[in-house]
Amino acid sequence: MRVTIFGSGYVGLVTGACLADAGNHVVCVDVDAAKIERLKRGDIPIHEPGLDALIKRNAEAGRIEFTTDAAKGIEHGLFQLIAVGTPPGEDGSADLRYVLAVARTIGTHLNRYAIVITKSTVPVGTADKVRAELTRTLSERGAKVEFDVVSNPEFLKEGAAITDFMKPDRVVIGTDNPRTTELMRALYEPFTRNHDRLIVMDIRSSELTKYAANSMLATKISFMNELAGIAERVGADIEKVRIGIGSDPRIGYSFIYPGTGYGGSCFPKDVQALIRSAREVNHEPRILEAVEEVNARQKEVLFHKIGRHFSGELKGRVFALWGLAFKPNTDDMREAPSVALIELLIKAGARVVAYDPIAGAEAQRVFAGRAGFTLARSAYEAVDKADALAIVTEWQEFRSPDFERLRQLLKQPVVFDGRNLYDPGMVARFGLTYYAIGRGTPAAHA
């Protein structure tokens, strides 16, 4: 099938590469000429395990190509996927200017039937706006061209996006046209052959499903972080509580790990956008507001633990930090808890020496020219002569460190573990003072 994708960011590239790998001919369109040239050279601008090889293989086979020529892309595709960014506005609402700009571009060049698909995460009612923009632009041209608008939200996890696309839990299709349903079913058939994962619904329900899914997962994270705060104060171990409640199949173990809060490009933005959407229809989303409030507070938890341990005397101290990306297997630092912690430490007069296996280049961009921030080439280089170690991202290589070496390298043998990677008793046996999230007696975390 002929597929055109507008937007060569995370969603666009993963979607395009996976569709091409199934034998479709995909054209990716982007207004960023420099990015398109990088992609043509095989230089992938994002980190996602397996994506480089997938794009390389399909580009060499002629199944995926990259261009800034929107007219070429629109002429090419029966399916026109909109996968551009929807950044949050100052009020938390999703900014639809890029989505609607693509709709106008499609309307300007469309000469035959096409299915226009909103793949970007968008508020309820966006498909109606896309349809109206297409209709208006075609009318201004005096052109009578048939089209359908479909909502097809993505459910890709950064770090596992290719597997998520190739073996989806579900493929949600929002449409008001049975013919479109069958065409979408055919597009996704290579990925749903073992089990029919296609869930067809009306467009507005499809749009809300994406926000609802991410907000539910964010809620689980904030709920566990709230429980962790209680556990610290009553002398319980949140990790034992997690196992106790996760064994209940109605709850399960996914997304009930306490930590330093959620980040990334999806959860913060989508929770805020759903709050805004609710208020626009005169509904006060109290649970969602609490989710966001708890998450903002949780990003400061490690800083407050550090401050209490050092009696507020942080000026001139050096802190090692392991993990910069908001989660493992990505270089994405958008809304990352690490950024919040680094900013607070630098503001308090401390210096930060950080290490991340993948996100170093992104950190250089985020903290370019920022005094008080240094990147280390290895985890142990970061801790050398540091006053303490803070762990913010649960990369695999941090799970079983040489504790004896840590104790020798650190100026003070103190570890602040924001991901509960270690057994407190084992760490203590190596002579390290260990602070975790929601573990131990209240006195240990006072």
Side-chain angles (χ1 to χ4, degrees):
M1 293 195 177
R2 295 169 287 107
V3 180
T4 298
I5 300 177
F6 285 89
S8 295
Y10 186 84
V11 174
L13 288 177
V14 172
T15 301
C18 292
L19 288 174
D21 206 54
N24 300 294
H25 184 193
V26 178
V27 173
C28 293
V29 181
D30 202 288
V31 296
D32 187 337
K35 180 189 286 186
I36 291 297
E37 287 305 312
R38 285 183 64 183
L39 289 165
K40 286 180 177 179
R41 295 194 304 267
D43 181 9
I44 311 305
I46 61 172
H47 175 81
E48 178 63 33
L51 184 60
D52 297 50
L54 196 63
I55 290 177
K56 182 176 185 292
R57 178 169 73 241
N58 285 284
E60 289 174 349
R63 290 191 295 265
I64 190 168
E65 56 185 287
F66 305 96
T67 183
T68 57
D69 188 345
K72 174 185 176 181
I74 293 162
E75 176 62 27
H76 166 80
L78 166 63
F79 299 93
Q80 303 278 331
L81 277 70
I82 302 177
V84 295
T86 53
E90 290 185 8
D91 60 358
S93 61
D95 187 343
L96 297 178
R97 76 178 85 172
Y98 305 117
V99 171
L100 297 179
V102 173
R104 284 192 295 275
T105 300
I106 294 173
T108 299
H109 299 285
L110 192 65
N111 293 310
R112 54 181 168 74
Y113 175 75
I115 301 173
V116 179
I117 303 166
T118 54
K119 199 73 178 169
S120 304
T121 301
V122 294
V124 174
T126 299
D128 293 339
K129 295 178 181 178
V130 168
R131 182 182 287 109
E133 200 67 46
L134 282 160
T135 301
R136 185 183 64 78
T137 307
L138 287 167
S139 177
E140 289 174 353
R141 286 172 52 202
K144 294 184 178 180
V145 183
E146 189 179 1
F147 66 89
D148 282 304
V149 176
V150 171
S151 168
N152 175 216
E154 53 85 15
F155 297 96
L156 306 176
K157 298 188 295 290
E158 290 193 44
I162 292 171
T163 300
D164 285 346
F165 196 100
M166 298 289 198
K167 299 178 180 179
D169 296 321
R170 76 284 208 198
V171 177
V172 174
I173 304 295
T175 180
D176 51 14
N177 187 331
R179 172 184 62 179
T180 307
T181 301
E182 293 312 306
L183 287 168
M184 294 295 292
R185 189 181 301 277
L187 179 65
Y188 279 104
E189 196 269 342
F191 312 103
T192 59
R193 299 182 83 171
N194 294 337
H195 303 280
D196 186 4
R197 305 290 191 182
L198 211 73
I199 302 172
V200 181
M201 59 185 72
D202 63 278
I203 292 175
R204 286 182 168 241
S205 295
S206 172
E207 291 172 330
L208 183 56
T209 295
K210 169 64 176 182
Y211 278 129
N214 279 353
S215 295
M216 174 63 78
L217 297 176
T219 299
K220 292 182 76 173
I221 293 170
S222 280
F223 179 75
M224 283 305 293
N225 284 330
E226 188 78 273
L227 281 182
I230 297 171
E232 283 193 7
R233 287 158 178 79
V234 300
D237 185 341
I238 193 63
E239 290 301 313
K240 291 182 172 62
V241 175
R242 176 180 64 80
I243 294 168
I245 66 174
S247 60
D248 185 333
R250 297 171 301 173
I251 298 172
Y253 290 105
S254 297
F255 287 86
I256 61 168
Y257 290 84
T260 54
Y262 59 76
S265 63
C266 295
F267 288 7
K269 175 173 69 70
D270 293 354
V271 171
Q272 291 170 13
L274 189 52
I275 289 172
R276 177 67 180 179
S277 294
R279 289 172 178 166
E280 286 176 352
V281 292
N282 298 316
H283 178 77
E284 196 62 32
R286 298 187 186 279
I287 291 177
L288 293 175
E289 290 168 346
V291 167
E292 190 176 36
E293 180 184 339
V294 169
N295 193 60
R297 184 180 67 202
Q298 198 69 17
K299 288 183 177 182
E300 298 182 355
V301 162
L302 276 192
F303 175 75
H304 293 308
K305 289 178 182 292
I306 292 168
R308 284 194 295 271
H309 177 85
F310 290 101
S311 302
E313 297 176 0
L314 303 183
K315 188 173 183 179
R317 294 190 184 277
V318 178
F319 293 96
L321 189 145
W322 284 1
L324 291 162
F326 85 95
K327 62 183 283 188
N329 299 318
T330 181
D331 63 349
D332 194 343
M333 290 179 60
R334 286 174 288 184
E335 302 284 340
S338 64
V339 176
L341 177 57
I342 291 167
E343 294 284 2
L344 288 167
L345 288 170
I346 292 175
K347 186 177 179 181
R351 288 174 47 230
V352 176
V353 182
Y355 168 72
D356 188 285
I358 296 295
E362 179 64 8
Q364 285 182 320
R365 186 191 67 79
V366 172
F367 291 104
R370 186 69 183 274
F373 177 80
T374 307
L375 275 174
R377 291 168 295 182
S378 72
Y380 293 106
E381 180 184 294
V383 299
D384 191 19
K385 296 182 178 61
D387 287 283
L389 166 64
I391 303 169
V392 188
T393 312
E394 65 276 29
W395 285 97
Q396 189 67 24
E397 70 175 81
F398 301 154
R399 291 185 178 274
S400 186
D402 183 338
F403 289 110
E404 181 63 34
R405 188 178 178 189
L406 273 182
R407 188 178 63 80
Q408 292 172 356
L409 288 172
L410 285 165
K411 188 185 297 184
Q412 299 189 40
V414 186
V415 176
F416 298 90
D417 182 0
R419 296 298 174 182
N420 289 359
L421 298 185
Y422 314 126
D423 175 73
M426 183 188 69
V427 178
R429 285 197 293 273
F430 285 93
L432 292 158
T433 300
Y434 182 66
Y435 295 87
I437 304 294
R439 310 191 73 176
T441 64
H445 296 269

